[in-house]
Amino acid sequence: MDELELTSWRRAVAELYGRVRSAEDPAEGHAAWRTGRDELFASHPQSPLPPDDPLRVSGLPYWPYDPALRFAAAVQPASGASLEIPTSNDGIVGLRRVGRVRLPGPVDAELDVWWLAQYGGGLFLPLRDGTAGQDSYGAGRYLLDSAKGADLGGGTDSLVIDLNFAYHPSCRYNPRWECPLAPAGNRIEVPVRAGERLTS
């Protein structure tokens, strides 16, 4: 049953991020995240990879872990602007802005933090950077999607933002998945050579 398979996928993702948050060394947490993602993408029935995709064997490609790209970022209040943004399959997803985070050098950028306007909601932080369309997916990558368990932690007024955990949405691999695209407040010119990439 697709619904139970998808629930299993989301449960596995949430458990994986739980292991990442409990890791004493962020680099070790990142290595565990990569291994866990490769296992899910290789064998889970809800994997977005087609059955014959070579990434099921080789694993997903990433840039090397860079500790300078991990931040504990205060979430600054921002107007509660609402958006209905397109998805990869011509659908619409509602978002409400709940704040902004400032990332210092070497990134030196601000990003909007969104709340998904759907049942249960969840924080959502996409990123489209200077690598998009060349070294990473043209529509952008995701840093956080707490509705699906992708959450690196934080406090009541801050978030852990680790650009090494930027990952491609499932629609990059399979058009049956609906993926919200990065809105204007989540697009930056600086290339972020961290996280998942298109090729090794």
Side-chain angles (χ1 to χ4, degrees):
M1 186 183 299
D2 285 348
E3 292 83 359
L4 292 181
E5 288 179 358
L6 182 56
T7 299
S8 168
W9 172 273
R10 290 183 176 178
R11 188 182 301 125
V13 169
E15 290 170 354
L16 178 57
Y17 276 84
R19 291 196 298 274
V20 168
R21 289 191 300 272
S22 66
E24 292 185 14
D25 177 13
E28 289 179 7
H30 184 259
W33 177 74
R34 287 184 57 174
T35 299
R37 276 175 56 82
D38 282 344
E39 290 171 356
L40 281 170
F41 274 67
S43 60
H44 196 281
Q46 282 287 312
S47 172
L49 295 178
D52 59 348
D53 194 308
L55 290 175
R56 284 183 180 260
V57 176
S58 68
L60 303 172
Y62 299 87
W63 277 281
Y65 188 84
D66 183 350
L69 296 176
R70 181 180 177 87
F71 310 100
V75 179
Q76 303 297 329
S79 67
S82 294
L83 283 180
E84 288 189 338
I85 63 171
T87 69
S88 54
N89 284 339
D90 297 325
I92 296 291
V93 170
L95 300 175
R96 179 174 52 85
R97 186 169 61 180
V98 296
R100 289 179 66 75
V101 291
R102 171 130 193 102
L103 304 183
V107 180
D108 193 25
E110 290 189 3
L111 297 172
D112 286 336
V113 180
W114 299 93
W115 186 258
L116 289 163
Q118 62 190 37
Y119 177 78
L123 288 177
F124 180 57
L125 184 51
L127 172 68
R128 187 183 191 279
D129 66 275
T131 68
Q134 298 177 16
D135 296 321
S136 67
Y137 184 48
R141 295 177 285 171
Y142 294 171
L143 297 171
L144 302 175
D145 185 354
S146 66
K148 296 180 180 173
D151 174 15
L152 293 172
T156 58
D157 59 359
S158 65
L159 291 169
V160 173
I161 308 293
D162 191 331
L163 300 177
N164 296 285
F165 288 82
Y167 66 93
H168 291 134
S170 297
C171 60
R172 175 264 187 264
Y173 304 105
N174 193 320
R176 75 182 175 96
W177 292 76
E178 291 277 347
C179 300
L181 309 179
N186 296 83
R187 299 178 186 182
I188 61 176
E189 295 297 324
V190 63
V192 175
R193 293 186 176 90
E196 191 179 346
R197 58 191 299 180
L198 290 177
T199 58
S200 298

